Amino acid sequence: MKFTMIYGPSGIGKESVGRELAKRNGWHVFPQHLAFDVACAVIGFGNDGFEAYQRKICLDAFRTLFENNVKGVVFTFCYVHPFSNYFIEGLLEFLGESGINANFIRLTCDYEEHVKRVTNTGRHNTNKIQSIEYLDDYLKRFDFSVDIPNVETLHIDTTTMSIEASAKDIERSIVT
């Protein structure tokens, strides 16, 4: 199974690029927000056990996909150092136990483009960030400029790239 994690802050285009990459390669997409939403509904964000439950949901999904011999998975994730390291430790353990060589890609874009993406009408009727005020607060509270420790990360600035071009750039760069 191929495993590609695309990470960066909310609204940067991870899921859109991930869906295009998955479509081009016949892979599955698993956005982190699915596990986040379930963990919010069951445990409540910020409550004891939230992170452990969200991690369990993701790792159980990855194990099931692996056991079902799927061709590949694109996982989109908001990595926040050091808060996400508990999740990353579990992910790296799973990948190692399963013999999966993963690819890690961090997407960025300039602030003006990030604002355009977050306020795009396509994000309406979702639980995703949709306003400049929320984005600014989010970017002040969390540092998204740190790479995941102990893994090689490909950096792609998608400011001027289409979703398709971003997916193609990842495709050309990932270890197959």
Side-chain angles (χ1 to χ4, degrees):
M1 181 172 89
K2 306 292 183 206
F3 187 93
T4 300
M5 177 192 278
I6 300 175
Y7 69 99
S10 289
I12 208 85
K14 301 178 303 291
E15 189 173 346
S16 296
V17 171
R19 287 193 183 287
E20 178 65 19
L21 180 64
K23 181 177 83 174
R24 295 171 58 83
N25 290 282
W27 297 346
H28 285 69
V29 177
F30 190 88
Q32 172 199 10
H33 71 80
L34 297 176
F36 181 87
D37 291 348
V38 171
C40 282
V42 174
I43 304 291
F45 181 69
N47 290 327
D48 287 343
F50 178 85
E51 291 298 329
Y53 190 64
Q54 180 181 227
R55 178 171 113 162
K56 179 182 179 348
I57 293 167
C58 290
L59 295 178
D60 285 350
F62 301 151
R63 270 189 206 88
T64 300
L65 291 165
F66 180 73
E67 289 166 2
N68 288 326
N69 298 311
V70 301
K71 186 175 175 186
V73 174
V74 179
F75 177 56
T76 61
F77 186 71
C78 291
Y79 175 74
V80 179
H81 181 79
F83 306 107
S84 301
N85 288 344
Y86 172 70
F87 174 81
I88 295 298
E89 289 166 6
L91 174 64
L92 294 177
E93 185 177 306
F94 161 74
L95 294 170
E97 289 170 357
S98 303
I100 298 170
N101 292 320
N103 297 286
F104 296 85
I105 295 94
R106 182 161 62 95
L107 298 187
T108 59
C109 69
D110 68 26
Y111 176 75
E112 291 78 22
E113 180 63 23
H114 200 171
V115 168
K116 285 181 197 172
R117 293 176 185 180
V118 163
T119 57
N120 183 295
T121 56
R123 290 177 73 87
H124 292 178
N125 299 319
T126 71
N127 289 332
K128 297 180 177 187
I129 295 174
Q130 298 175 28
S131 72
I132 295 171
E133 297 78 20
Y134 197 105
L135 176 65
D136 287 344
D137 180 58
Y138 177 72
L139 294 174
K140 285 178 192 166
R141 286 188 298 143
F142 303 111
D143 183 3
F144 294 99
S145 66
V146 177
D147 286 347
I148 295 171
N150 305 313
V151 299
E152 185 176 330
T153 296
L154 171 67
H155 301 103
I156 300 178
D157 182 337
T158 63
T159 301
T160 60
M161 298 172 73
S162 68
I163 291 166
E164 294 79 10
S166 299
K168 285 179 185 176
D169 200 27
I170 292 171
E171 220 171 30
R172 283 190 297 271
S173 303
I174 61 176
V175 178
T176 56

